Amino acid sequence: MSAFTKSSPSARCKSEYDSLRRVLLCPPEYMEIKDVINDVQKRYQEENIDTDKAMQQHKQFLDALQREGVETDLLHPSDAFPEQVFTRDIGFTVGDTVFIAEMASEIRQGEEGVLQKWLKQNNFNAETLNGKRVEGGDVLIDRDTVFVGISSRTSKNAIEGLKKKLPDFNVIPIAFNEKYLHLDCVFNILSPTEALIFEDALDQETIDMLSKRYTLLPVDAKEQFALGTNVLSIGGRRVFSQPQNTKVNTLLKANDFRVIEVDFSEIIKSGGAFRCCTLPLVREE
């Protein structure tokens, strides 16, 4: 289900910012807030999701990715999985392997099997982390470093398991306020030297550690709630962001990023934006 002829199925991913060549998404056909599992959903629970509007916004995002030269694959949506649109959480690619997550929330359990089947059908190298709860929104990679958020969704056991499976990588745990769901909602790497950050969610020691490696671009509380940190870098200093997050976009443009604006206002009601909705399979330097 893509507008492109597929390239080799070998996964390749060594950063959050190399050129995105192939990515896995899932249309929000059955998107719904059923069980409230984060603060953003709590805010929109009564209003809930306009599925037609969410589908339209997701299609605009898909079209924009394709215009930028990204191959797009789609998981088949299921009414059993109302949050399947957030494909990043179901898995994450490190090196040449797609790791299949273990979902913490009951409402999302079972999505792993759908991903595993798709990866097998498409001949991707995949590994599971059985018994070690982890979600891809907590995993960020930058060359030989893998940052992993310690959250209500990702356990310390999972981080130890990743260290064993990734002996050539420096796996760094990052503690943050769990109310913000996933690490990529408060910290997001944009380039080898720049990252977005919502400092209120992190302790000073962590901020100091990250500031030694990156120029940290601050996101305020209002735009963090609107998933302003959860942008998607696709290489060449190109970043997908919502037009509503004007401060983030102004900051990105001031730092020579090309901001590709897509309205995701309906989809963010469930607590995720562009990074959450994309599982990179291939990035190239």
Side-chain angles (χ1 to χ4, degrees), residues 41-201:
Q41 287 185 348
K42 192 180 298 181
R43 160 67 174 80
Y44 293 107
Q45 183 180 13
E46 291 187 15
E47 184 178 332
N48 222 296
I49 309 295
D50 182 332
T51 308
D52 290 339
K53 188 175 181 180
M55 285 287 287
Q56 182 183 33
Q57 291 180 351
H58 194 268
K59 180 63 165 56
Q60 290 171 348
F61 177 43
L62 191 74
D63 291 345
L65 283 168
Q66 293 174 352
R67 285 195 299 271
E68 295 295 328
V70 182
E71 297 182 6
T72 55
D73 289 276
L74 300 178
L75 290 177
H76 187 70
S78 167
D79 59 1
F81 305 122
E83 298 193 28
Q84 195 178 11
V85 64
F86 301 127
T87 53
R88 175 80 64 154
D89 298 332
I90 320 169
F92 53 94
T93 306
V94 180
D96 61 0
T97 301
V98 183
F99 288 91
I100 300 170
E102 181 176 309
M103 308 305 289
S105 299
E106 187 175 348
I107 192 72
R108 302 204 63 180
Q109 290 170 4
E111 294 180 34
E112 307 99 322
V114 177
L115 175 60
Q116 187 170 28
K117 181 179 179 181
W118 187 91
L119 292 170
K120 184 176 181 180
Q121 289 174 340
N122 289 272
N123 301 311
F124 279 93
N125 181 35
E127 285 196 36
T128 58
L129 292 167
N130 292 329
K132 297 180 174 65
R133 192 181 70 241
V134 59
E135 295 187 3
D138 283 322
V139 181
L140 288 87
I141 181 173
D142 189 357
R143 301 296 179 233
D144 61 351
T145 303
V146 180
F147 297 102
V148 187
I150 304 169
S151 72
S152 60
R153 305 294 194 267
T154 297
S155 69
K156 292 181 180 179
N157 285 340
I159 297 173
E160 292 306 312
L162 271 177
K163 287 181 179 179
K164 292 176 182 177
K165 287 182 176 288
L166 299 171
D168 296 330
F169 292 82
N170 182 21
V171 178
I172 300 177
I174 294 186
F176 67 98
N177 188 327
E178 293 182 358
K179 70 174 282 187
Y180 297 106
L181 188 62
H182 288 129
L183 181 61
D184 65 5
C185 294
V186 298
F187 172 66
N188 197 347
I189 302 166
L190 303 171
S191 78
T193 57
E194 294 145 307
L196 287 173
I197 192 165
F198 177 61
E199 292 190 354
D200 290 1

Side-chain angles (χ1 to χ4, degrees), residues 266-277:
E266 200 64 27
I267 290 170
I268 69 161
K269 291 178 180 179
S270 202
F274 303 107
R275 189 180 189 275
C276 288
C277 288

